[in-house]
Amino acid sequence: MLRNALGKTLRFLGYTVQYGCIAHCAFEYLGGIVVCSGPSMEPTIQNSDVVFSENLSRHFYCIRKGDIVIVKSPNDPKSNICKRVIGLEGDKVCTSNPSDFLKSHNYVPKGHVWLEGDNLRNSTDSRCYGPVPYGLIRGRICFKIWPLNDFGFLRASPNGHRFLDD
Amino acid sequence: HPPRHRGSSLSPRNPEQKIIKRVIALEGDIIKTIGYKKKYVKVPHGHIWVEGDHHGHSFDSNAFGPVSLGLLHARATHILWPPKRWQKLQPVLPPERKPLQREQE
């Protein structure tokens, strides 16, 4: 009777460990569900929206200009930020604010990306902390799950003028 | 004060490559650099300053600046191969590379 209970418990633990490992690998290498907070990506992503992010693009280095990515914060490794990629390495980006009188431009250094929130007036991004190393990118947001009235693929950037053509 | 270990991190210039360097300074420390664009640097919040042990022949923070902690991948603790190099890596800060000012002071 006791041996039966012990056997069942060990089997249960075994399954838990197995599923735990598979879940960890899935979240690390495939993707996962993310709850976003903050106003910096409005109107594309609102506070408390739930999105799905995939991690394959960053492993295969096919993050593209215009993608929305989840990035480890450059100043706080424990928190994540969600922004749009405005420029990849070698691209020319406008480093000044839209309200500045004199515009300044620069090229994104090797191994880095330039990030900006869609809500330019209320976003701390690369205009504040500079280009972000590619290695900090954790995943690419491809799909919004919640709220249901906004379910589906994410819109393109409302700030097309920030993407400078080569 | 916290021990300075050898760490391996994703290269800030090349995300496909991992580089292995010694942690010289943590956030808030002020250090004197070797050949960097600024002579003195206060390591920003959330960053570290790394240097190779062979100064002058090392592609490290003196070339690419402070490294974000998020790029830190692991800590190197031992050399395993070749067998004659088998050793535990000591977390020792070279005396000439001590920070001018630590955050805690």
Side-chain angles (χ1 to χ4, degrees):
Chain A
M1 179 70 182
L2 192 62
R3 265 181 56 181
N4 231 352
L6 192 65
K8 282 207 177 107
T9 311
L10 284 174
R11 254 200 305 278
F12 173 75
L13 282 173
Y15 286 136
T16 312
V17 169
Q18 265 183 324
Y19 288 130
C21 290
I22 293 173
H24 168 80
C25 286
F27 286 128
E28 175 71 23
Y29 296 106
L30 295 178
I33 293 175
V34 177
V35 180
C36 300
S37 64
S40 63
M41 282 299 293
E42 283 171 7
T44 316
I45 300 178
Q46 320 264 4
N47 194 30
S48 304
D49 279 359
V50 179
V51 296
F52 181 78
S53 96
E54 56 91 355
N55 298 343
L56 291 170
S57 294
R58 74 159 167 128
H59 286 299
F60 291 114
Y61 300 97
C62 42
I63 299 279
R64 285 197 297 264
K65 208 151 71 166
D67 282 347
I68 302 179
V69 289
I70 295 196
V71 175
K72 264 198 226 174
S73 167
N75 295 328
D76 177 15
K78 296 197 188 88
S79 66
N80 295 322
I81 57 179
C82 169
K83 300 280 179 269
R84 200 182 285 269
V85 175
I86 302 297
L88 299 168
E89 70 182 22
D91 287 347
K92 188 176 180 187
V93 289
C94 183
T95 52
S96 57
N97 280 310
S99 54
D100 287 349
F101 180 68
L102 290 171
K103 305 259 174 254
S104 62
H105 298 98
N106 226 323
Y107 289 92
V108 181
K110 189 170 180 321
H112 289 68
V113 293
W114 187 268
L115 304 173
E116 284 177 9
D118 283 356
N119 188 359
L120 285 172
R121 280 199 209 101
N122 196 359
S123 164
T124 38
D125 45 40
S126 284
R127 294 169 298 162
C128 169
Y129 43 69
V132 175
Y134 185 100
L136 289 177
I137 294 179
R138 309 218 59 208
R140 185 181 71 96
I141 296 184
C142 45
F143 212 80
K144 193 191 285 198
I145 301 173
W146 190 269
L148 289 172
N149 61 355
D150 207 12
F151 185 92
F153 292 105
L154 292 150
R155 278 161 278 178
S157 172
N159 305 313
H161 58 276
R162 299 295 292 176
F163 294 89
L164 302 176
D165 294 318
D166 297 316
Chain B
H1 44 86
R4 310 294 157 107
H5 298 274
R6 272 214 194 100
S8 83
S9 68
L10 288 170
S11 167
R13 288 249 184 96
N14 180 0
E16 294 180 46
Q17 184 191 50
K18 287 195 182 58
I19 57 174
I20 180 162
K21 301 289 169 209
R22 191 181 292 275
V23 177
I24 298 296
L26 303 174
E27 66 188 15
D29 295 348
I30 299 178
I31 50 138
K32 189 170 176 192
T33 64
I34 306 172
Y36 186 55
K37 58 185 179 189
K38 291 199 292 187
K39 193 145 187 231
Y40 296 96
V41 165
K42 180 170 182 175
V43 181
H45 188 67
H47 289 69
I48 50 172
W49 188 268
V50 297
E51 284 178 6
D53 282 352
H54 193 179
H55 298 307
H57 287 83
S58 175
F59 182 58
D60 52 25
S61 282
N62 289 307
F64 45 70
V67 176
S68 178
L69 272 170
L71 290 174
L72 200 65
H73 179 76
R75 187 169 81 197
T77 55
H78 294 79
I79 295 179
L80 298 178
W81 194 269
K84 66 174 193 259
R85 301 260 309 136
W86 212 100
Q87 63 186 277
K88 184 174 192 302
L89 291 169
Q90 296 302 329
V92 166
L93 186 65
E96 70 272 11
R97 299 306 297 142
K98 276 201 168 65
L100 298 169
Q101 181 188 306
R102 287 226 177 82
E103 175 90 326
Q104 291 88 350
E105 282 159 3

